[in-house]
Amino acid sequence: MLAAAALFVVTACSSSGGGAESGGPAGSPSASVSEGATPPDGEAQPSAPPAKGSAKVVSTLTEDLKSPWGMAALPEGDLLVSSRDEGTITRVDSENGEKTEVGEVPGVSPGGEGGLLGLAISPSFASDTYVYAYFTTDSDNRIARMLYDPKRPVGRQLGAPDTILRGIPKGNIHNGGRIAFGPDKMLYAGTGETGETGETGLSQDKESLGGKILRMTPEGEPAHGNPEADSVVYTYGHRNVQGLAWDSEKRLWASEFGQNTWDELNLIEPGKNYGWPEAEGKAGKAGFVDPVEEWRTSEASPSGIAFAKGSIWMAALRGERLWRIPLAGVKPSADPQAFLEGEHGRLRTVVATGDGALWLLTSNTDGRGTPESGDDKILRVDVT
């Protein structure tokens, strides 16, 4: 299980600015991205959502979360939320907002932008009850899975971590941290380049796990159909990926922090080079994939993304707003729209509810925000 990770040399954000955080079945890489990008002749193109949408906070589900980062929905709808700095996972009742501490993840070493970051729920949760976590240790970033038993005493509902991938580079900044299971039931992870400077840095080094999107089996092995059979590296040339989401055609999208100029939304295709550090934003340089959309870092510094109502919804940290990017296939169908600007502070994670709305997680207790009464919160947002 760890043999594949041993092939890599390693160490792997949030934002006061852009610089620091600031072939197979449907759902396989070929079906979800490459084929989806160019539909066969005669195949109906997906209809575009309205050019103008809406986003309205209709309720506050819960309050007083401390340094929340990852958020994932259990099959019945309740939410699990990670605390970056406390290393704990909390269950939030999706009806009444009641909080229950599930447990502490051992081995978490918080510092800077590192700590307990992304969460994901096993696609076979009903039978295996695994919760996956991406977290920073004293030596690296890693991904582990834990059995979850809500019948055990409060605070002791997690089993011992089973590390499935270790050796992701760590840093004081740019640790990536988002994980999610795709339609193909493989686990994807967005990593960061740790602020590593130099001629090319970690992002262009295919032997490093830093500055990449990774794709692996639930056991942490390289997934069938990856660009290199013995590698979990799916795409490279990323600076700091903190958002992963699939659209209705099973195409993968990712948000990425730029440095001082352009933040990005990228359409992800296996094996492609997304340019960092040689390209930022729509650079038009040969050999690199340009983003589908770009933003000034003051307007975005994007973290989590979700797909709902035909649009990608992107939570912005420094930008303190929720962006809507309506899609028509592989391209935006209209200009991005910003909502909730400055109303709730820094926005970290967004999750589709399953009934067409969004759960939106604020991030004002992460050391870079300005906490107000009740922070941090989970908001329910109705969108069109």
Side-chain angles (χ1 to χ4, degrees), residues 20-236:
E21 221 181 36
S22 97
S28 68
S30 59
S32 64
V33 179
S34 300
E35 291 176 16
T38 309
D41 290 344
E43 182 175 313
Q45 293 283 351
S47 59
K52 299 295 184 182
S54 64
K56 180 181 180 181
V57 174
V58 294
S59 63
T60 299
L61 177 64
T62 199
E63 298 183 335
D64 299 320
L65 296 167
K66 303 304 178 187
S67 62
W69 206 102
M71 181 166 61
L74 291 164
E76 67 271 30
D78 286 359
L79 300 170
L80 294 184
V81 181
S82 65
S83 169
R84 185 193 68 184
D85 297 341
E86 297 182 350
T88 57
I89 297 176
T90 298
R91 180 170 180 157
V92 180
D93 189 295
S94 60
E95 297 294 329
N96 59 29
E98 180 181 350
K99 300 191 294 287
T100 303
E101 185 174 316
V102 170
E104 183 175 355
V105 178
V108 173
S109 179
E113 293 174 2
L116 181 56
L117 303 176
L119 299 177
I121 307 302
S122 167
S124 304
F125 184 83
S127 58
D128 64 31
T129 71
Y130 277 129
V131 172
Y132 288 71
Y134 182 117
F135 58 95
T136 311
T137 72
D138 288 335
S139 60
D140 65 359
N141 285 295
R142 61 184 60 178
I143 301 171
R145 61 184 183 181
M146 298 156 284
L147 294 171
Y148 171 43
D149 183 358
K151 295 180 181 179
R152 296 184 64 187
V154 171
R156 293 191 287 132
Q157 298 174 349
L158 294 176
D162 170 22
T163 299
I164 66 164
L165 185 70
R166 67 179 75 232
I168 302 169
K170 64 167 285 188
N172 189 57
I173 60 172
H174 301 181
N175 289 285
R178 194 70 61 188
I179 55 175
F181 280 95
D184 54 3
K185 298 185 179 180
M186 297 296 106
L187 182 64
Y188 294 73
T191 74
E193 37 68 280
T194 73
E196 174 82 14
T197 59
E199 198 166 314
T200 58
L202 300 179
S203 299
Q204 293 294 323
D205 180 0
K206 292 184 182 180
E207 298 302 310
S208 170
L209 298 180
K212 308 294 189 296
I213 292 177
L214 312 177
R215 177 176 178 262
M216 68 201 79
T217 69
E219 294 73 38
E221 300 290 346
H224 177 70
N226 277 5
E228 301 292 337
D230 61 350
S231 173
V232 295
V233 172
Y234 193 59
T235 57
Y236 65 109

Side-chain angles (χ1 to χ4, degrees), residues 276-349:
W276 183 259
E278 297 177 46
E280 180 181 2
K282 297 180 180 180
K285 292 186 176 182
F288 302 137
V289 179
D290 275 352
V292 171
E293 279 291 359
E294 63 184 11
W295 294 263
R296 295 292 182 182
T297 56
S298 60
E299 297 177 326
S301 297
S303 190
I305 62 174
F307 180 79
K309 300 291 182 69
S311 298
I312 294 289
W313 299 84
M314 187 176 79
L317 289 161
R318 183 184 175 195
E320 297 189 356
R321 66 199 79 178
L322 178 67
W323 284 101
R324 173 187 184 259
I325 305 95
L327 299 177
V330 299
K331 296 181 179 180
S333 59
D335 290 338
Q337 274 182 285
F339 297 97
L340 313 179
E341 185 175 349
E343 295 180 17
H344 302 280
R346 293 160 57 83
L347 305 178
R348 170 70 64 181
T349 301

